[in-house]
């Protein structure tokens, strides 16, 4: 703070106050989310629930005996990946992987174009790996909210994170993928298991640590899944649980949708409202827009513009770049907040944006980044605390020891995000002892793990009058 005019800083802090969330507020937010979890799981309430609590039909975590070769597709963030994974007693090895870009226009084009592109990339990979003659089982990580009907039937509820392809919402994504592969006709795949990236992350970490029963992503988007008691999953009919049985199912919370019904109105700032208004999907994924990598940079940019217009930054002079949406990338926040190179990085980033800065500006820009990333970490902590507290109460434990598998660039790359999140969860869930594992290639490997576990257990879902009647789990 040296050399910084105190009055000036005070005025800046006044503008940033709206982002501050004290412990009591976070406790309140966690209590609201707890109610939303119940609504999402409820038989009669889930249709209108903002937090969807989607059943995944994943009822078992790895036990270490899974093995085999699998293909995995990972679609959901900025990149699309194809992987060949070998699972055996002591490792899940990525034999080969390939990144395929998804051009911006394809993200908002037709669904057919998107799936043809995915099938083409997979075909190229299968060919290059000499896997063409084999029909390997495929784990498909599709990181969007889907109403999963079975492990290989998954209806897209809505696009998020900048995707908006026509003709996919309301459709079975596995069917669209298979149709695209058949349109090509030059290779085939075996059974398909659909997973959300949170589930993939939990499953891949679960292979190393069998107490891992939560998966969390803080990257382009944000979300978490956890193992819920089957008896509480009222929205899936026919899952009878006998007295004393501890059967569980992984629930994809889709916590990004928290607040879509106005539940977070009191903490939304004018900057959040602007980000939402100018997004591709206004009114959708309110919580995600306050937290994840797709939006954090834009929030910072809007605050920078505001403070410049108020003559608290850059001598009151904006630049064309600063006034252009999307120019302040989320990765800049991590670079600016770095302990050692932060000041140097800030100078360079601001200069690249055509801004002339002095020492006070550098300090203020860092303060803004810190405020926005810290709010994100604290909100995630409140949401994660809701999950761990719920698991503890579900199991009637005084004390819960559990592991969370985590992935996503915001969590991994920001210099102190993970630390702040962890500290805050510990304060919000003092009766829980939580271990965090960062997953490596989690969503890809995890998709293979779900496929492997699904092969270990065959779920036969018998339908009667369009209603799930009975679920039999049979060990192969
Ligand atoms: C999606 C989730 C996904 C999360 C993290 C959100 O936008 O709705 O399904 O898990 O992003 O990738």
């Amino acid at each position: 703070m040296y050399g910084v005019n105190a009055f000036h800083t005070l005025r800046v802090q006044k503008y940033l106050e709206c982002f501050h969330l004290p412990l009591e507020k976070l406790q309140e937010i966690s209590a609201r989310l707890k109610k939303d979890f119940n609504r999402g799981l409820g038989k009669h309430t889930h249709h209108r629930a903002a937090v969807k609590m989607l059943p995944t039909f994943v009822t078992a975590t790895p036990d270490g005996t899974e093995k085999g070769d699998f293909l995995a597709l990972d679609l959901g963030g900025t990149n699309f990946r194809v992987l060949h994974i070998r699972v055996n007693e002591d490792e899940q090895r990525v034999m080969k992987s390939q990144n395929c870009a998804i051009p911006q226009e394809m993200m908002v084009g037709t669904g057919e174009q998107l799936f043809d592109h995915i099938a083409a990339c997979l075909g190229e990979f299968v060919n290059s790996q000499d896997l063409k003659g084999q029909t390997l089982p495929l784990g498909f990580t599709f990181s969007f909210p889907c109403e999963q009907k079975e492990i290989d039937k998954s209806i897209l509820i809505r696009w998020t994170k900048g995707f908006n392809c026509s003709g996919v919402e309301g459709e079975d994504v596995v069917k669209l993928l298979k149709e695209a592969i058949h349109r090509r006709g030059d290779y085939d795949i075996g059974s398909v298991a659909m997973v959300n990236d949170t589930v993939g992350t939990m499953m891949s970490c679960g292979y190393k640590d069998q107490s891992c029963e939560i998966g969390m992503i803080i990257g382009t988007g944000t979300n978490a899944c956890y193992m819920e008691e089957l008896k509480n999953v009222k929205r899936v009919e026919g899952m009878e649980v006998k007295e004393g049985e501890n059967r569980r199912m992984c629930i994809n919370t889709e916590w990004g949708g928290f607040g879509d019904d106005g539940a977070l109105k009191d903490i939304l700032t004018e900057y959040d409202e602007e980000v939402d208004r100018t997004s591709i999907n206004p009114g959708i994924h309110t919580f995600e827009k306050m937290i994840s990598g797709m939006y954090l940079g834009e929030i910072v940019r809007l605050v920078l513009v505001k403070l410049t217009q108020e003559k608290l930054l850059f001598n009151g002079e904006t630049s064309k770049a600063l006034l252009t949406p999307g120019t302040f990338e989320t990765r800049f926040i991590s670079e600016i907040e770095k302990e050692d190179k932060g000041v140097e990085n800030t100078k360079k980033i601001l200069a690249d944006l055509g801004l002339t800065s002095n020492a006070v500006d550098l300090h203020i820009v860092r303060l803004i980044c810190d405020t926005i990333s810290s709010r994100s970490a604290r909100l995630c902590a409140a949401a994660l605390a809701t999950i761990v507290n719920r698991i503890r109460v579900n199991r009637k434990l005084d004390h819960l020891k559990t592991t969370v598998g985590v992935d996503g660039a915001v969590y991994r790359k920001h210099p102190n995000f993970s630390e702040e999140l962890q500290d805050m969860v510990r304060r919000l869930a003092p009766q829980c002892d939580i271990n965090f594992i960062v997953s490596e290639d989690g969503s890809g490997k995890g998709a293979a793990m779900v496929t492997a576990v699904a092969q270990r257990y065959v779920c036969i879902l018998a339908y009667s009058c369009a209603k799930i009647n009975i679920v039999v789990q049979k060990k192969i």
Side-chain angles (χ1 to χ4, degrees):
M1 293 275 284
Y2 56 89
V4 178
N5 176 313
F7 178 64
H8 194 96
T9 310
L10 220 66
R11 282 195 59 207
V12 170
Q13 275 165 350
K14 240 353 308 92
Y15 278 96
L16 299 180
E17 245 165 37
C18 56
F19 293 105
H20 290 149
L21 298 170
L23 184 70
E24 305 73 54
K25 193 74 191 176
L26 294 172
Q27 282 163 335
E28 209 186 286
I29 290 166
S30 173
R32 286 182 216 166
L33 183 60
K34 182 178 163 196
K35 280 197 190 135
D36 276 8
F37 277 5
N38 287 332
R39 241 175 253 144
L41 289 170
K43 189 169 175 178
H44 304 294
T45 45
H46 77 268
H47 296 291
R48 278 166 287 109
V51 182
K52 293 270 169 256
M53 305 299 276
L54 302 167
T56 64
F57 292 86
V58 170
T59 50
T61 46
D63 69 0
T65 63
E66 296 77 9
K67 37 167 115 52
D69 275 35
F70 302 89
L71 284 171
L73 288 183
D74 186 1
L75 175 75
T78 28
N79 257 321
F80 159 61
R81 288 184 85 198
V82 190
L83 305 95
H84 172 202
I85 290 165
R86 182 161 295 160
V87 180
N88 57 36
E89 289 79 19
D90 32 54
E91 62 172 352
Q92 317 161 75
R93 181 190 296 184
V94 177
M95 305 300 286
K96 191 86 195 167
S97 75
Q98 191 177 307
N99 275 2
C100 303
I102 306 233
Q104 180 66 34
E105 58 284 5
M106 205 173 267
M107 289 167 71
V108 290
T110 69
E112 194 165 309
Q113 273 171 336
L114 177 72
F115 282 93
D116 280 346
H117 180 63
I118 295 174
C121 297
L122 179 60
E124 200 181 291
F125 183 77
V126 166
N127 261 327
S128 71
Q129 293 306 296
D130 245 352
L131 297 168
K132 209 168 174 180
Q134 308 176 38
T135 46
L136 294 184
L138 179 121
F140 186 9
T141 308
F142 186 73
S143 311
F144 300 94
C146 286
E147 187 73 55
Q148 193 125 3
K149 299 290 182 191
E150 296 170 37
I151 198 80
D152 62 349
K153 187 167 184 200
S154 204
I155 315 290
L156 176 66
I157 298 175
R158 61 186 173 215
W159 288 112
T160 58
K161 296 177 289 195
F163 277 81
N164 202 2
C165 300
S166 59
V168 188
E169 286 182 354
E171 298 295 324
D172 175 10
V173 182
V174 176
K175 186 166 153 263
L176 296 180
L177 173 70
K178 284 186 175 163
E179 283 171 359
I181 293 173
H182 291 153
R183 270 197 293 280
R184 294 177 58 85
D186 57 346
Y187 68 94
D188 210 357
I189 49 168
S191 58
V192 177
M194 268 291 290
V195 280
N196 185 263
D197 51 354
T198 53
V199 183
T201 299
M202 178 188 82
M203 293 296 268
S204 76
C205 291
Y207 191 68
K208 285 180 248 154
D209 175 344
Q210 277 152 33
S211 58
C212 181
E213 41 188 0
I214 301 171
M216 177 172 77
I217 305 281
I218 312 165
T220 309
T222 183
N223 189 14
C225 70
Y226 71 101
M227 294 306 285
E228 174 62 86
E229 305 308 305
L230 201 48
K231 65 175 187 315
N232 294 338
V233 190
K234 304 267 179 2
R235 82 207 288 298
V236 178
E237 289 180 45
M239 292 259 180
E240 286 96 24
V241 183
K242 292 199 199 93
E243 203 42 51
E245 244 185 351
N246 286 332
R247 286 173 60 199
R248 295 184 181 133
M249 182 186 276
C250 178
I251 295 294
N252 166 15
T253 65
E254 289 292 339
W255 73 23
F258 184 29
D260 289 1
D261 55 358
L264 295 174
K265 235 186 168 123
D266 57 329
I267 60 163
L268 283 181
T269 66
E270 59 180 283
Y271 313 100
D272 298 310
E273 279 161 6
E274 173 77 3
V275 163
D276 181 49
R277 206 169 30 244
T278 54
S279 70
I280 196 169
N281 53 356
I284 286 174
H285 271 210
T286 309
F287 194 55
E288 174 162 282
K289 286 174 181 160
M290 301 169 88
I291 290 174
S292 76
M294 176 125 193
Y295 310 98
L296 288 185
E298 185 62 5
I299 302 176
V300 169
R301 188 190 70 83
L302 291 172
V303 178
L304 290 176
V305 170
K306 175 82 176 184
L307 292 193
T308 311
Q309 285 165 348
E310 295 298 320
K311 305 220 170 350
L312 289 165
L313 268 176
F314 315 129
N315 215 8
E317 283 175 39
T318 56
S319 68
K320 190 160 174 249
L322 185 68
L323 293 174
T324 310
T327 46
F328 196 96
E329 296 175 36
T330 296
R331 69 184 166 88
F332 295 167
I333 300 179
S334 299
E335 286 164 23
I336 288 171
E337 287 192 62
K338 272 199 184 124
E339 191 74 63
D340 47 351
K341 293 210 167 122
V343 176
E344 211 178 297
N345 292 345
T346 315
K347 271 190 204 154
K348 177 155 192 334
I349 289 165
L350 296 177
D352 289 349
L353 288 171
L355 298 161
T356 316
S357 55
N358 60 27
V360 179
D361 293 327
L362 297 181
H363 166 77
I364 293 175
V365 171
R366 188 183 180 130
L367 183 66
I368 295 170
C369 290
D370 180 49
T371 305
I372 308 296
S373 61
S374 167
R375 180 184 69 153
S376 163
R378 290 164 86 89
L379 284 172
C380 279
L384 183 59
T386 315
I387 292 185
V388 289
N389 281 329
R390 181 176 176 96
I391 297 180
R392 186 183 65 75
V393 173
N394 271 347
R395 298 186 195 164
K396 301 185 178 64
L397 298 171
D398 290 332
H399 194 88
L400 172 77
K401 199 168 167 6
T402 191
T403 298
V404 186
V406 198
D407 206 349
V410 174
Y411 186 89
R412 276 166 177 281
K413 304 230 167 106
H414 186 278
N416 46 37
F417 188 97
S418 56
E419 209 180 307
E420 180 151 16
L421 184 152
Q422 293 182 18
D423 284 353
M424 194 41 79
V425 181
R426 288 185 184 120
R427 291 175 68 190
L428 290 162
Q431 286 159 279
C432 302
D433 177 1
I434 313 160
N435 177 29
F436 290 80
I437 313 184
V438 172
S439 99
E440 294 298 332
D441 276 327
S443 43
K445 282 181 184 168
M449 284 318 299
V450 174
T451 322
V453 174
Q455 290 205 326
R456 192 155 57 76
Y457 287 89
V458 177
C459 284
I460 304 161
L461 300 166
Y463 284 81
S464 158
C465 306
K467 169 171 126 181
I468 300 172
N469 222 4
I470 178 178
V471 177
V472 189
Q473 286 205 333
K474 184 178 83 181
K475 200 156 183 170
I476 299 176

